[in-house]
Amino acid sequence: ALQAGGVVIRSCFSVVSPGTEGTKLKEAKLSLPEKARARPDLVKLVMDVVRQQGLRAAYSKVINRLEQLTPLGYSLAGEIVAVADDVDEFSVGDRVAAGGAGYANHAEYNFVPRNLVVALPQQVQLEHAAFTTIGSIAMHAYRQSESSLGEVALVIGLGLVGQLLTQILVAGGVSVVGIDLDSDRCRLAEAAGAVCAAVPGSAQWRPALGPLGADVVFIVAGSDDNTLLELAANNVRDR
């Protein structure tokens, strides 16, 4: 339904994020103790509620939360079909990309606030524009790193975001070395311009970093322990 401050978009394409959405689906199938082990951060929040409001209130909130349906998706492209009266930068029929968990869902129609919507240039295909939000994650990481021409970047994790980040870094004149458990993803990164990409245990990628190590390391993968953090710390240059 149309609300103030946003637009209603008819989805043409939406992108499935294997990492984020795959994790949600896996966690949804876990038992209550397994959910607690998987999300210690949420357990801490529950314990805070217990201390503040008591066990009964905390239990009720947890059960209510677990019974709520959670929409999937956060990156799409489509056409605007309705515009709120207080929104003047968009019109019905505009081709746009949109993002945001809880807004840019895998649904035929979505209400999205104006700050999560961007108009598309005519030459951009909707199918490609659907990747805008996920691409912005990679772009934000690149900007935060302040990587510059001629530097060496180590990208740990060559999934969807890792592949987009690799392409952005290469376009910026940064030499990219990639690591992933999947050798096919490594080949894909090399095809996109990475100087070397290999599995963690391979001896191929370390020499490509040079004698001083990487100027910057991006961790674009998940882990249940400190392995990835240690891998990054051991391969980044001194200071």
Side-chain angles (χ1 to χ4, degrees), residues 74-165:
Y74 62 87
S75 189
L76 63 79
E79 297 179 357
I80 292 178
V81 296
V83 181
D85 292 337
D86 60 344
V87 175
D88 54 16
E89 66 266 43
F90 298 110
S91 302
V92 172
D94 284 354
R95 301 163 67 254
V96 294
Y103 291 111
N105 305 314
H106 298 308
E108 187 175 1
Y109 293 94
N110 288 291
F111 168 80
V112 186
R114 67 202 300 177
N115 63 309
L116 296 176
V117 183
V118 62
L120 298 177
Q122 276 303 122
Q123 67 269 26
V124 177
Q125 298 178 35
L126 285 169
E127 186 173 3
H128 297 163
F131 286 83
T132 297
T133 305
I134 297 175
S136 72
I137 297 170
M139 179 67 79
H140 182 65
Y142 168 70
R143 286 173 169 160
Q144 288 289 95
S145 74
E146 298 183 350
S147 299
S148 60
L149 184 69
E151 289 190 333
V152 178
L154 175 62
V155 178
I156 301 175
L158 296 171
L160 185 54
V161 177
Q163 296 290 343
L164 292 169
L165 178 58

Side-chain angles (χ1 to χ4, degrees), residues 187-219:
R187 302 291 77 76
L188 192 61
E190 288 181 333
V195 295
C196 180
V199 296
S202 170
Q204 299 175 359
W205 59 269
R206 292 181 188 274
L209 294 177
L212 299 179
D215 296 293
V216 60
V217 181
F218 299 89
I219 299 178

Side-chain angles (χ1 to χ4, degrees), residues 3 22 27 29 37 61 82 84 100 142 172 176 178-179 218 221 226 233:
Q3 303 172 42
E27 289 180 353
K29 298 175 182 177
R37 283 196 295 270
K61 286 191 175 186
Y142 168 70
V176 179
I179 302 175
F218 299 89
N226 290 331

